Amino acid sequence: MRTLINEMRGLILAYCLTWSSLLIPAHGDGYPPGHLLPLGSHQPPQGGIPMMGKFPSPWVFYEEFVKQSQPLVMRKVLMGSDIPAFDKWTDAYLSDIFGHLPVDVESGKKEDRENGTLWHMTLEKYISMYKKLNGYLVTDVPEAMKVDLKVPLTLQCGGFQNNLQNIIMWFSSGGTKSHLHNDGLDNINCVLDGTKELVLIDLKYADLIHADGWEEKESYSRVNVDRVDMHEFPKLQKVPWHKIVVNKGDCLFIPYRWFHQVHSLPGRNLALNFWFHHRMWYNSSECTDMDPYTAPSKPLRQFDFPQPMEEARSLLLESLEGKERITLEDFSALFGTDQKDDGISECFGIIDEDNNDLLDWPELYKFDLNKMVKDHPVLFPDITSEFDTEQGEVEGGETDNREPGKSDFHADDFDMVEEEKEEEDFKKQTDFEKPTSNPFDSETIETYSGRIPVHIHHVKQEPEEVVVKVKTDPKKMKHEEL
């Protein structure tokens, strides 16, 4: 009998070892680093992401971060701020004050752009079920809720105020994961509650990420972020990456076209995206009526966005990024190689205010695009002049107006979905004492992995327009104020 038992143990052990060899990736021959492991397991994360404890001035933000395509972590900037939503937006407050507003909710905790379902419901209904719902809220901030939002000084002038595109609200019970993707907009993501972990990848590695499984139309990778198949996505092995953790009260600047994958950790997660079009020029003349270093936040309702013509301008000019002066040949290339002149030279001459046969960025941002579209519609077939029609509604994807069913909730918690509305005192929901001052309140910039590798000169702007000449240096971009 003892012999038989030992033989059975041996068989069971061999069976377990066989299956473990299939399920647990090895880093030996035939198994690349990170194979069948979460995204980022193929190599240690890099450091070097700057960090500061306040919203930077528009000038510093543009010169050091937007222009340089450099992410920025802003620690605890919402704590002690004058943005009402940070303290007010508890479940009880949102349900009581804005519960009647319609919102969009996506099915599943893991983003699925091919097979996901979009539900429509009221915010109150979502709050009553979100803690057990297998889904998450992602919706444009309704107009009524903007009363509790403000725009930080970083985006109040210099042209940023004209390039705001949208404010998106993300709300879940945590555990959500996005695709690895990138966006054609600059993005400041502010966390009102919870914690998020992000994989960030520099846009300069686009060729490696686009090589395998990239969906160009939707700008995302088909890679399974929980279990990366390095045989199917071999180029990912060569991609350096950064790990960023943002907590309640933090904001993160994600530059235009940077790749990122977001994981919201378990627990209440509430965040806002401030999306704005990428700019190639900072207009200092628009900052003369404010102190860009100490100005308070401004109510969001004071900003007119989106502005369709400024959106069209950004899309038209994005291929010219990196050029200091634009020739007629460069300008003509914007309209396609097979495009006859059809007014291109005339448009170039209108924009060229100083008649030097070169266009600079101030000229490209200041000319009246709306009038040019009206006068030369052949050149701008995809842009509708505001003189002719108002902007139409943007068509959305497929939606499902049914109520979430039993399968859309955690199986053992379905009974709680009935009409559950938690009557909590929202003043007691916050898990910290509101600080009287920000312990990070400093202009010092730190890196995510070390201290002070970046030094920023704060240059006060004079009322007159400042012309910035950029000299390219292999090691560093040097800025000279003339």
Side-chain angles (χ1 to χ4, degrees):
M1 176 64 75
R2 182 174 297 177
T3 302
L4 179 62
I5 292 174
N6 288 336
E7 289 179 354
M8 291 296 294
R9 286 175 176 171
L11 288 173
I12 293 172
L13 178 61
Y15 180 82
C16 291
L17 290 174
T18 299
W19 275 103
S20 66
S21 66
L22 295 174
L23 297 175
I24 302 175
H27 297 316
D29 293 339
Y31 292 96
H35 182 57
L36 302 184
L37 293 174
L39 183 67
S41 301
H42 62 288
Q43 60 178 263
Q46 295 189 327
I49 300 298
M51 180 192 305
M52 65 190 309
K54 64 188 299 182
F55 288 110
S57 69
W59 168 261
V60 168
F61 181 60
Y62 178 77
E63 286 294 320
E64 299 295 337
F65 301 103
V66 174
K67 190 174 183 178
Q68 307 299 336
S69 187
Q70 172 65 66
L72 172 66
V73 179
M74 292 162 276
R75 287 286 184 221
K76 298 188 177 181
V77 290
L78 299 182
M79 294 184 179
S81 72
D82 58 353
I83 299 177
F86 182 67
D87 292 316
K88 283 187 173 183
W89 281 12
T90 63
D91 288 356
Y93 176 86
L94 290 173
S95 185
D96 291 343
I97 306 302
F98 304 119
H100 63 287
L101 298 175
V103 294
D104 296 330
V105 178
E106 292 194 8
S107 63
K109 290 286 190 175
K110 191 172 181 180
E111 185 180 17
D112 186 348
R113 300 194 184 186
E114 293 182 358
N115 303 307
T117 298
L118 184 66
W119 296 309
H120 297 302
M121 63 182 72
T122 64
L123 180 57
E124 181 180 22
K125 188 168 190 64
Y126 175 74
I127 290 174
S128 74
M129 64 175 65
Y130 83 94
K131 292 180 180 179
K132 306 301 180 183
L133 179 67
N134 185 26
Y136 58 96
L137 181 152
V138 52
T139 194
D140 293 0
V141 173
E143 190 65 30
M145 295 180 70
K146 292 179 181 178
V147 68
D148 287 339
L149 296 178
K150 293 188 177 183
V151 175
L153 69 89
T154 299
L155 300 178
Q156 288 181 20
C157 70
F160 293 119
Q161 78 282 7
N162 299 322
N163 285 99
L164 281 171
Q165 174 63 18
N166 208 357
I167 313 295
I168 304 293
M169 179 169 64
W170 304 80
F171 187 9
S172 74
S173 60
T176 61
K177 295 181 180 180
S178 75
H179 289 296
L180 175 64
H181 67 286
N182 68 1
D183 301 306
L185 299 166
D186 283 314
N187 173 18
I188 293 180
N189 185 293
C190 291
V191 181
L192 278 65
D193 203 0
T195 297
K196 297 181 184 293
E197 294 181 346
L198 293 93
V199 171
L200 281 185
I201 299 173
D202 197 318
L203 60 82
K204 66 184 178 182
Y205 300 111
D207 289 346
L208 295 176
I209 293 177
H210 290 172
D212 305 300
W214 181 257
E215 295 291 339
E216 186 65 34
K217 185 177 180 181
E218 298 292 331
S219 297
Y220 77 96
S221 173
R222 293 200 308 270
V223 67
N224 183 345
V225 298
D226 290 323
R227 193 175 169 84
V228 178
D229 188 331
M230 284 298 180
H231 295 308
E232 184 179 354
F233 300 89
K235 295 294 179 66
L236 287 181
Q237 300 172 54
K238 303 177 182 179
V239 177
W241 65 288
H242 304 269
K243 179 179 179 179
I244 303 296
V245 178
V246 283
N247 301 300
K248 182 174 184 175
D250 297 343
C251 292
L252 170 66
F253 170 56
I254 304 175
Y256 160 85
R257 299 295 187 194
W258 269 60
F259 301 92
H260 51 287
Q261 187 266 324
V262 186
H263 175 203
S264 295
L265 299 188
R268 186 177 189 264
N269 264 262
L270 179 60
L272 296 171
N273 276 0
F274 289 79
W275 267 338
F276 51 101
H277 287 284
H278 186 62
R279 288 187 65 82
M280 276 71 78
W281 175 59
Y282 177 81
N283 186 359
S284 58
S285 67
E286 295 180 343
C287 297
T288 56
D289 61 346
M290 62 172 283
D291 185 336
Y293 299 93
T294 62
S297 300
K298 288 185 178 180
L300 183 62
R301 286 183 163 182
Q302 292 184 11
F303 294 81
D304 181 21
F305 68 94
Q307 297 185 25
M309 277 298 147
E310 290 309 307
E311 177 182 3
R313 188 192 304 273
S314 296
L315 296 174
L316 178 67
L317 301 180
E318 65 181 357
S319 63
L320 298 175
E321 185 172 18
K323 296 179 182 290
E324 291 188 52
R325 295 290 185 269
I326 289 83
T327 65
L328 176 58
E329 182 180 0
D330 295 329
F331 186 71
S332 299
L334 296 177
F335 304 95
T337 55
D338 57 347
Q339 178 73 46
K340 297 179 180 179
D341 188 277
D342 286 335
I344 294 177
S345 297
E346 181 183 349
C347 291
F348 185 92
I350 293 171
I351 300 172
D352 185 20
E353 290 184 344
D354 56 10
N355 298 315
N356 67 346
D357 295 325
L358 291 171
L359 304 182
D360 57 25
W361 286 107
E363 289 173 333
L364 286 166
Y365 271 98
K366 288 181 177 179
F367 80 91
D368 189 343
L369 177 58
N370 193 55
K371 186 176 186 304
M372 191 168 287
V373 169
K374 181 186 177 185
D375 294 342
H376 300 275
V378 175
L379 292 179
F380 305 95
D382 298 325
I383 303 177
T384 303
S385 171
E386 292 178 351
F387 287 132
D388 300 326
T389 183
E390 295 182 358
Q391 184 187 31
E393 293 289 334
V394 177
E395 294 185 2
E398 293 185 3
T399 62
D400 187 346
N401 290 319
R402 70 176 177 86
E403 295 292 331
K406 185 172 183 178
S407 63
D408 298 312
F409 294 85
H410 303 299
D412 57 344
D413 296 309
F414 182 70
D415 290 340
M416 64 74 59
V417 180
E418 297 300 325
E419 286 297 323
E420 176 185 274
K421 181 180 178 184
E422 302 177 3
E423 296 295 340
E424 300 169 317
D425 183 352
F426 64 86
K427 293 182 180 179
K428 295 180 181 179
Q429 278 194 342
T430 54
D431 56 1
F432 62 93
E433 291 292 331
K434 184 175 178 180
T436 57
S437 63
N438 186 346
F440 287 83
D441 191 9
S442 168
E443 288 288 347
T444 302
I445 292 183
E446 304 172 351
T447 62
Y448 202 75
S449 61
R451 288 183 175 271
I452 321 175
V454 179
H455 182 65
I456 287 182
H457 297 280
H458 293 258
V459 183
K460 288 283 186 177
Q461 302 299 301
E462 299 299 329
E464 295 79 21
E465 182 174 350
V466 175
V467 178
V468 178
K469 182 179 180 181
V470 179
K471 291 185 178 180
T472 303
D473 184 283
K475 296 182 179 179
K476 182 181 180 182
M477 297 292 289
K478 298 179 180 179
H479 309 289
E480 293 185 0
E481 187 175 67
L482 305 182

